[in-house]
Amino acid sequence: MLADLSERLLRALQPTDSFTVTETQVEDALKGVCNALLVADVPVAQVRGVRDRVLGRVAALQRGVALNGATVLRAALREELRALVDPGVPAYQPARGKRNVLMLVGLQGAGKTTTVTKLAHWYRRKGFKPGIICADTFRAGALPQLTMSATRAKIPYYGNPLETDPVVVVREGLRLFVDEGTEKFDLIIVDTSGRHKQEDELFTEMETLTQVAHPDCTVLVMDASIGQMAFDQAQAFKNRVPVGAVIITKMDGHAKGGGALSAVAATGSPIIFIGTGAFFFAAYGWKCSQVSTYPIWSLLTRSVSRGVCWNQRGPRWIWRQT
């Protein structure tokens, strides 16, 4: 999705590559940018807001100042695209040597169980000692799936196939990992049942789990293919639990992941990972707000300001960074 969006943004801005740009060319380029965002399934309201704010920025920057129209347009687009995916709120930073609890919540089929193992594997490579608690007692295949992936990744995990109350599972898991564990686990990741905004019972269960686990950060996992429904769903989660971060999964398998980006606007929380691949060793493409290599906003804004081409391994910059 990000590759397609970057390519469409480049094509939309090609008419502004010349030194002198007319007002009509600026409007046509902005129309192309809006079409690119709409094709990526970014909600219409957000696209309209981006367009209005960019026009306002261009008018304000050009008022009384002899600036090139293309430069002004690209500068305004950079700021607006960055604001689209980066709310300016710092993400939670786990600290080694102390207890850190992350609780993953999200819709059914969003990829929480796969993401749990990926997170544990990623943080272990950063020097943490992670442990996983499977509190998804609603889906029959959750614990077997986690058992397979965690065993393959060699991540300690806890789950009880005979227990139907996730609160009991979380309490027991925290006791084993933190209170009575012989090894010092400093990062506990809790996998929860999938739920929908209309399922009040499951949302009540999620609130209870929050009170029991006392997570340092509640992470909302969103499926890139959900489209523009992501805003309402993310808002429903934010209204019930303090969502502190967002992970968008399956971005490599769907061309319309822009709708999931609206979770940033709904929750006011930063995107900390982009999920690609199905296995624990499949790297996340970008990580915002923490040890950032290729943040999402950087990819989009650099495609606006400089241009970027893609290969199977990820972004390859056409121009040397300055």
Side-chain angles (χ1 to χ4, degrees):
M1 172 265 178
L2 291 175
D4 293 339
L5 179 55
S6 297
E7 184 179 348
R8 292 178 185 275
L9 289 175
L10 284 175
R11 287 203 300 264
L13 293 173
Q14 278 180 353
T16 65
D17 287 340
S18 60
F19 182 76
T20 57
V21 179
T22 65
E23 183 177 348
T24 302
Q25 287 177 312
V26 171
E27 293 179 356
D28 291 341
L30 187 55
K31 184 184 298 183
V33 170
C34 292
N35 288 335
L37 294 175
L38 290 173
V39 169
D41 215 23
V42 177
V44 176
Q46 286 186 276
V47 175
R48 187 183 297 115
V50 168
R51 181 182 182 279
D52 294 342
R53 289 191 294 271
V54 168
L55 288 175
R57 285 174 180 266
V58 170
L61 289 174
Q62 285 187 316
R63 188 179 299 120
V65 182
L67 292 177
N68 177 264
T71 302
V72 173
L73 174 63
R74 290 170 183 259
L77 278 175
R78 276 199 304 271
E79 293 303 316
E80 289 302 323
L81 289 176
R82 176 171 181 165
L84 189 65
V85 296
D86 183 4
V89 179
Y92 172 72
Q93 302 273 2
R96 287 195 293 268
K98 62 181 288 291
R99 189 183 98 155
N100 304 273
V101 178
L102 304 181
M103 188 174 78
L104 271 61
V105 300
L107 297 174
Q108 300 96 330
K112 294 185 300 300
T113 303
T114 301
T115 302
V116 161
T117 306
K118 285 187 175 186
L119 278 179
H121 178 69
W122 194 91
Y123 277 112
R124 185 178 61 183
R125 294 178 60 185
K126 299 298 178 181
F128 287 86
K129 180 68 176 177
I132 301 174
I133 299 176
C134 181
D136 186 355
T137 59
F138 184 78
R139 183 168 65 94
L143 183 56
Q145 179 186 349
L146 182 60
T147 299
M148 181 180 65
S149 60
T151 301
R152 189 175 183 184
K154 299 180 180 179
I155 304 292
Y157 68 96
Y158 173 78
N160 187 348
L162 303 179
E163 181 58 61
T164 59
D165 187 354
V167 175
V168 175
V169 175
V170 169
R171 284 200 182 108
E172 188 68 13
L174 290 175
R175 182 180 64 82
L176 292 175
F177 279 127
V178 179
D179 299 333
E180 298 181 5
T182 56
E183 300 183 61
K184 191 172 184 179
F185 293 91
D186 52 8
L187 180 65
I188 312 299
I189 305 176
V190 181
D191 180 24
T192 64
S193 304
R195 57 205 78 230
H196 190 272
K197 70 173 185 176
Q198 278 82 24
E199 296 173 329
D200 290 335
E201 183 179 349
L202 288 176
F203 264 87
T204 302
E205 173 190 290
M206 183 176 62
E207 292 174 328
T208 305
L209 287 176
T210 301
Q211 297 171 0
V212 172
H214 300 291
D216 298 285
C217 181
T218 300
V219 182
L220 175 62
V221 181
M222 300 294 295
D223 185 348
S225 64
I226 191 176
Q228 298 186 17
M229 291 188 299
F231 184 87
D232 293 336
Q233 296 290 350
Q235 199 169 45
F237 279 92
K238 182 67 174 181
N239 291 338
R240 303 295 288 266
V241 293
V243 175
V246 177
I247 294 177
I248 301 180
T249 62
K250 309 177 187 179
M251 286 287 278
D252 56 333
H254 204 276
K256 292 192 174 184
L261 298 180
S262 62
V264 176
T267 63
S269 304
I271 300 173
I272 58 173
F273 280 106
I274 290 295
T276 61
F279 302 101
F280 74 87
F281 51 79
Y284 280 79
W286 295 270
K287 187 168 190 293
C288 297
S289 304
Q290 296 174 267
V291 199
S292 178
T293 304
Y294 292 114
I296 305 171
W297 65 262
S298 179
L299 172 66
L300 294 181
T301 56
R302 285 177 181 175
S303 66
V304 168
S305 59
R306 295 185 174 215
V308 60
C309 68
W310 279 72
N311 55 28
Q312 292 181 349
R313 297 183 179 180
R316 175 168 57 86
W317 304 115
I318 298 175
W319 292 280
R320 187 176 181 181
Q321 299 184 41
T322 57

